[in-house]
């Protein structure tokens, strides 16, 4: 019986682990991997105090900090369901393990969102990718596309432009909307002819033989509704990973994100949430780290009251 | 005319500076010093991702990060008053300088309420502390004191009791007055011999050589007016530094802290606040860093709307 079960090993879960050590809670962290979606960032420079680091260095900074304390981390374990128990909550892993705790922090993050168009699954790993930092070097001197208009999409395009011959950003909306510094960098690449932005356009289909060869667009671009691409990076956001909470009746918003208050409490007493899985509208590492830390203050009070 | 004037160089102000560079705002930071109250912590281990550092290393980590960007910092400058101007706000320094900006972030922090007894300044960081969550782990198996009788003092004592061998609560009034649940937990620790409460007593002096060694009391306790302590946590409140905002009509709570919403907005349009100066109830570096970062998202939207 633990005081607290932390599910997730991203910045939210790790920060919660650090604070739970400070608050002397009997905690266990259960996670599929360490680092969460930090691993998808080519470069991190927006977590105050750690400077400019690549993704692995950033993950290590958090992990090394946690390792200063004696918080058990069960890696490569996937929790599939959480249920109420007499004294708190029970969580069951895919491999059949069971954890019981008085309180739970859900910091499971998000999963990449798919386009759901024909060819997407067929050509995954054969041109279609969801992670530029993983795959960009495979597209040296190639012509590739990025689908999306957010910060994440702009970052993917910028990284790809360092490798590929040309990068098309294909965005369904009026105009891409990354944060200003990123947009400025994208526009510089546009001037240099390395990036081209195609707004108001959707990818309808991904076509090829062994490997993907082109995409079909829902609108003509330079006289054709087909665009030849050797790679397509899909960067249209994430789906909050809340499936494990389905038996608990935890409130989610219309995007599927867990609704929390300023204390990181969910609507279920004893269950807290932090990071990208929540309805916060500033999906940054600093937000996850803050929310994970703040949740512990509350969990500590709760655990000492039951 | 700047987009944003950041007042304060602690973790809130520096994080805001970093994010204002990411958001490409034309910002200036004006501050008496860099680091804010981090400088009072002998060691920092509660800011996720930077590990265990001394206070100067921690301050440098933030400052070095800020230095990656091109944000001007006016050090050794003290703003004495902010007033509304036609296009935004004007701030005046003690030395007669003037800054004008469309928006202002107040991250001036608090001044700890001091006991004002001999030795308090000499042994600050050498046993004397104002933050158990920051420093408790440094006092493993030590005998320490907490001065105060409120919720905050009780929480400090309880947390310290998880690390220290014994904790004395020294309170000037009849009886400590934390909320019942806290008091109950304190009393349980008293039964266990981990906490001892000394009511009706003031600390008159803090005594030591290199580090503090004991305190002098104004009343005898077990036959002596001296008590040997390796640490003394002074928990009698903090004073938010809001004097400069007095002409703006910014709302403060009964403790004098600036009231903000979840976007870090104050009741005055264009004025934001972050960190210990606000009414947040988790006064940690991670909170200040988050609030400073989050405020910029809002300031950016505001600046681009005026």
């Amino acid at each position: 019986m633990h005081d607290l079960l932390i599910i997730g090993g991203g910045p939210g879960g790790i920060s919660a682990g650090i604070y739970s050590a400070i608050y002397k809670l009997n905690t266990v962290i259960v996670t599929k991997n360490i680092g969460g979606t930090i691993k998808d960032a080519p470069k991190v420079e927006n977590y105050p105090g750690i400077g400019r680091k690549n993704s692995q260095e950033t993950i290590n900074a958090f992990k090394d900090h946690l390792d200063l304390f004696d918080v058990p981390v069960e890696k490569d374990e996937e929790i599939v369901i959480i249920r109420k128990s007499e004294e708190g909550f029970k969580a069951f892993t895919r491999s059949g393990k069971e954890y019981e705790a008085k309180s739970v922090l859900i910091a499971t993050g998000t999963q990449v969102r798919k386009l759901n168009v024909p060819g997407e699954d067929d050509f995954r790993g054969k041109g279609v990718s969801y992670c530029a930092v993983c795959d960009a070097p495979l597209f040296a001197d190639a012509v590739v596309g990025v689908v999306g208009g957010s910060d994440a999409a702009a970052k993917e395009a910028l990284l790809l432009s360092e490798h590929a011959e040309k990068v098309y950003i294909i965005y369904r909306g009026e105009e891409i909307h990354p944060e200003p510094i990123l947009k400025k960098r994208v526009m510089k690449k546009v001037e240099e002819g390395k990036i081209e932005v195609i707004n108001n356009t959707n990818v309808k289909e991904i076509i090829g033989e062994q490997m993907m060869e082109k995409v079909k667009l829902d609108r003509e671009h330079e006289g054709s509704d087909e665009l030849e691409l050797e790679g397509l990076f899909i960067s249209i956001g994430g789906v909050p990973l809340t499936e494990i909470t389905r038996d608990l009746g935890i409130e989610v918003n219309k995007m599927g994100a867990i609704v929390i208050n300023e204390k990181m409490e969910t609507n279920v007493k004893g269950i807290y949430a932090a990071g990208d899985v929540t309805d916060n509208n500033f999906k940054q590492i600093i937000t996850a780290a803050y929310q994970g830390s703040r949740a512990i203050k509350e969990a500590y009070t709760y655990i000492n009251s039951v």
Side-chain angles (χ1 to χ4, degrees), chain A residues 216-267:
Chain A
K216 183 155 256 175
L217 305 175
D218 68 348
R219 213 172 66 91
E220 286 202 352
H221 172 70
E222 292 178 354
S224 168
D225 67 350
E226 289 188 350
L227 187 63
E228 288 190 11
L229 297 174
E230 291 161 75
L232 188 68
F233 288 77
I234 295 162
S235 185
I236 53 173
V239 184
L241 291 165
T242 61
E243 176 64 7
I244 57 169
T245 70
R246 67 180 179 271
D247 279 15
L248 291 171
I250 286 181
E251 188 191 349
V252 297
N253 69 9
K254 64 180 181 201
M255 306 295 286
I258 295 176
V259 177
I260 52 170
N261 64 17
E262 78 286 356
K263 297 172 179 177
M264 314 309 147
E265 293 171 319
T266 69
N267 62 315

Side-chain angles (χ1 to χ4, degrees), chain A residues 123 126-128 143 205-216 226-232:
Chain A
F123 296 109
K126 295 170 180 171
V128 173
V143 177
E205 189 179 352
I206 300 161
I207 299 162
E209 299 276 335
Q210 294 301 89
M211 304 290 285
M212 75 164 280
E213 290 164 14
K214 56 189 176 182
V215 296
K216 183 155 256 175
E226 289 188 350
L227 187 63
E228 288 190 11
L229 297 174
E230 291 161 75
L232 188 68

Side-chain angles (χ1 to χ4, degrees), chain A residues 70-117:
Chain A
D70 197 21
V71 180
V73 179
E74 300 284 341
K75 261 186 298 193
D76 307 314
E77 277 289 356
E78 187 182 2
I79 284 174
V80 287
I81 194 79
I82 314 169
R83 297 209 172 101
K84 283 192 177 161
S85 69
E86 283 209 3
E87 294 180 85
F89 303 93
K90 269 189 183 165
F92 304 86
T93 72
R94 194 169 296 286
S95 68
K97 278 200 205 166
E98 212 181 293
Y99 297 92
E100 188 165 17
K102 293 178 193 163
S103 65
V104 178
L105 176 73
I106 299 161
T108 44
T110 53
Q111 192 170 39
V112 289
R113 195 182 295 273
K114 289 168 71 178
L115 270 182
N116 290 320
V117 297

